[in-house]
Amino acid sequence: MELDGLKVAVVGAGIGGLAAALCLRTRGADVLVLEQAEAIREVGAGIQVSPNGMKVLRALGLAEDLRARTVGGRAVVLRDYRGAQVLRMELSALEDAGDYRFVHRADIIELLAGAARDRGVKIRLLQKATEVVPGAPARVVLCHGDHVEADLVVGADGLHSVLRPVLNGSAAPFFTGQVAWRAVVPNVVDHPPEAWVHMGPGRHVVSYPLRGGEMVNLVAVEERRGWVEEGWAQVDDAANLRAAFAAFRGPVTRLISEVEQPGLWGLFRHPVAQTWHGTGVALLGDAAHPTLPFLAQGANMALEDAWALGAAVGAEGLGGLARYQDWRRDRVARVIAAANGNAWKYHLRNPLVRGVAHMGLGLVGRLAPEKMLRQFDWVYGYDVTRLGG
Ligand code: FAD
């Protein structure tokens, strides 16, 4: 194996960190994952794993296991907030139909963590990193005063990464003027295996089924002036969510009525990190490039990063870190720009503009349905596993 003897410490056992641990371990590295939490546990929430992310899971031998635990998305349906259908895009038209999955976060984390342990990755819990010091070896300082040294330290520690400012200085994110509520509710509307996007003035709500259709994931976004914190630690009163979507009609309101204690997240824009690597260190996933959820690509980008890091370091050793950044930065920046541009399209306030825009969408959807999906080929059709052989 290419990386026999390379000592790697990964900070963070999220989707990005665990996938990176697997990609490096598969190439022979000796990998230790350091996670701050007391258990590998996830908030009850869904994510969409698209064919580009599934390619990484397939290359790791995990795609079939993930398919067994998840719902295959058949279509994306855009609706007016009163319930009228605007556009339907059949996901079966995608090249990798069947590889667009609605996933419970806990299930993908459990799958990745189990596979990592089975293949010899060590995962240590209650290991909050307070500092990462680049060098040969690089060093992770832990909150209880201990430290870990490794040839390569991967900062996969998410939004509030301790490594990112070491390489890039600190950059203040800016509030987008949008907040997102997130909840998982029982499937009381017989939600088909589709992602529904209900679009209203200044707000939209996305829903899709999880776990064999037993539950439905809801993400409801509202534009507002006052900001709330970034992160799911904040819980809101469900009455606020219901009030914000009181004008919505159709089954989605029934789903909203089931919400008990939604998480509330302020949506911030962060620049993509300029520098993703230093001596013996690399950034990955949200630590390098937090993204708004409007293209459902954050976790998919973290999976792609993980593969690219393994391939670059596998081919060139630590000298491959520059190549890793070259392979990833432009693509990630393009995906994030596309996600940034999406929200306003859902939130049109002027009824006239909204009516015309929805009519136009509906028309293209009817006359050239392929065209609507083809515009995402560059996102979903990309195969990062071709990198590095
Ligand atoms: P994280 O998931 O944040 O994991 C970081 C890990 O590091 C955590 O386990 C944390 O406990 C640990 N950690 C943090 N700090 C330290 C420290 N100092 N020491 C040790 N451990 C530490 N993406 C999609 O692809 N599809 C979707 O449908 C989708 N929907 C989304 C909906 C919403 C509303 C939001 C906000 C995001 C969504 N995303 C989606 C984005 C996706 O959730 C993230 O991009 C993805 O989880 C990033 O993974 P990560 O491993 O980089 O970071």
Side-chain angles (χ1 to χ4, degrees):
M1 285 192 248
E2 305 111 300
L3 295 179
D4 275 348
L6 190 84
K7 212 175 149 198
V8 177
V10 177
V11 182
I15 294 169
L18 291 168
L22 273 164
C23 291
L24 290 158
R25 176 70 198 138
T26 303
R27 291 180 153 83
D30 177 7
V31 185
L32 169 67
V33 177
L34 301 161
E35 166 59 45
Q36 65 181 359
E38 60 180 350
I40 305 280
R41 209 176 21 225
E42 262 298 319
V43 287
I47 57 164
Q48 300 174 54
V49 176
S50 47
N52 50 315
M54 280 297 274
K55 288 188 175 86
V56 175
L57 296 170
R58 177 152 293 116
L60 289 170
L62 301 175
E64 290 319 309
D65 275 356
L66 191 82
R67 285 173 70 104
R69 298 173 193 214
T70 56
V71 175
R74 272 197 222 136
V76 176
V77 183
L78 305 191
R79 290 182 197 278
D80 178 55
Y81 68 106
R82 296 185 204 89
Q85 182 172 310
V86 173
L87 172 72
R88 182 182 174 90
M89 290 183 282
E90 298 295 340
L91 292 169
S92 52
L94 286 174
E95 205 173 290
D96 299 294
D99 269 358
Y100 198 105
R101 313 299 301 180
F102 302 142
V103 180
H104 197 292
R105 283 178 72 98
D107 294 341
I108 186 170
I109 289 282
E110 192 184 286
L111 179 67
L112 290 167
R117 285 196 176 105
D118 288 350
R119 296 175 198 185
V121 170
K122 293 182 262 330
I123 301 178
R124 275 199 222 144
L125 303 171
L126 288 170
Q127 307 289 315
K128 183 177 171 65
T130 52
E131 198 186 349
V132 175
V133 187
R139 168 193 285 242
V140 184
V141 181
L142 297 163
C143 67
H144 40 68
D146 227 348
H147 72 268
V148 167
E149 288 185 343
D151 302 310
L152 173 62
V153 173
V154 180
D157 46 349
L159 218 52
H160 306 292
S161 168
V162 292
L163 177 57
R164 178 177 169 136
V166 174
L167 299 176
N168 293 276
S170 50
F174 86 90
F175 181 52
T176 59
Q178 293 159 339
V179 298
W181 287 273
R182 199 167 180 174
V184 174
V185 296
N187 186 356
V188 290
V189 299
D190 204 12
H191 200 304
E194 300 172 348
W196 291 346
V197 185
H198 284 79
M199 308 173 288
R203 66 210 66 221
H204 77 274
V205 56
V206 178
S207 60
Y208 51 84
L210 297 173
R211 287 197 171 149
E214 282 166 41
M215 317 166 159
V216 173
N217 188 65
L218 283 176
V219 178
V221 176
E222 180 197 36
E223 290 175 11
R224 62 158 80 154
R225 287 224 172 79
W227 59 275
V228 291
E229 271 193 38
E230 203 176 17
W232 295 116
Q234 183 162 326
V235 196
D236 198 22
D237 186 336
N240 295 331
L241 165 66
R242 286 194 257 283
F245 289 84
F248 279 51
R249 294 288 171 267
V252 73
T253 55
R254 177 79 183 84
L255 292 169
I256 290 174
S257 74
E258 288 289 318
V259 175
E260 285 174 6
Q261 265 205 326
L264 181 64
W265 182 314
L267 297 177
F268 286 74
R269 250 196 230 178
H270 300 250
V272 175
Q274 281 298 330
T275 307
W276 291 32
H277 65 96
T279 310
V281 294
L283 286 170
L284 176 143
D286 274 13
H289 49 75
T291 164
L292 293 175
F294 305 133
L295 203 57
Q297 281 297 310
N300 288 292
M301 288 301 107
L303 288 168
E304 288 186 10
D305 286 353
W307 183 273
L309 179 66
V313 175
E316 297 177 36
L318 295 181
L321 293 177
R323 179 180 293 245
Y324 160 63
Q325 172 171 327
D326 287 349
W327 274 341
R328 296 302 302 153
R329 201 177 176 283
D330 287 354
R331 171 163 168 82
V332 162
R334 189 175 171 205
V335 165
I336 287 176
N340 291 346
N342 256 359
W344 71 268
K345 295 180 192 159
Y346 297 152
H347 291 182
L348 296 171
R349 283 179 187 275
N350 182 312
L352 198 67
V353 176
R354 192 172 58 243
V356 171
H358 288 184
M359 214 161 62
L361 270 176
L363 205 64
V364 181
R366 278 193 300 281
L367 297 179
E370 294 275 300
K371 197 172 167 199
M372 293 307 294
L373 262 187
R374 290 275 86 89
Q375 65 177 316
F376 299 114
D377 274 356
W378 66 277
V379 181
Y380 303 147
Y382 180 76
D383 186 357
V384 73
T385 67
R386 293 209 181 121
L387 296 177

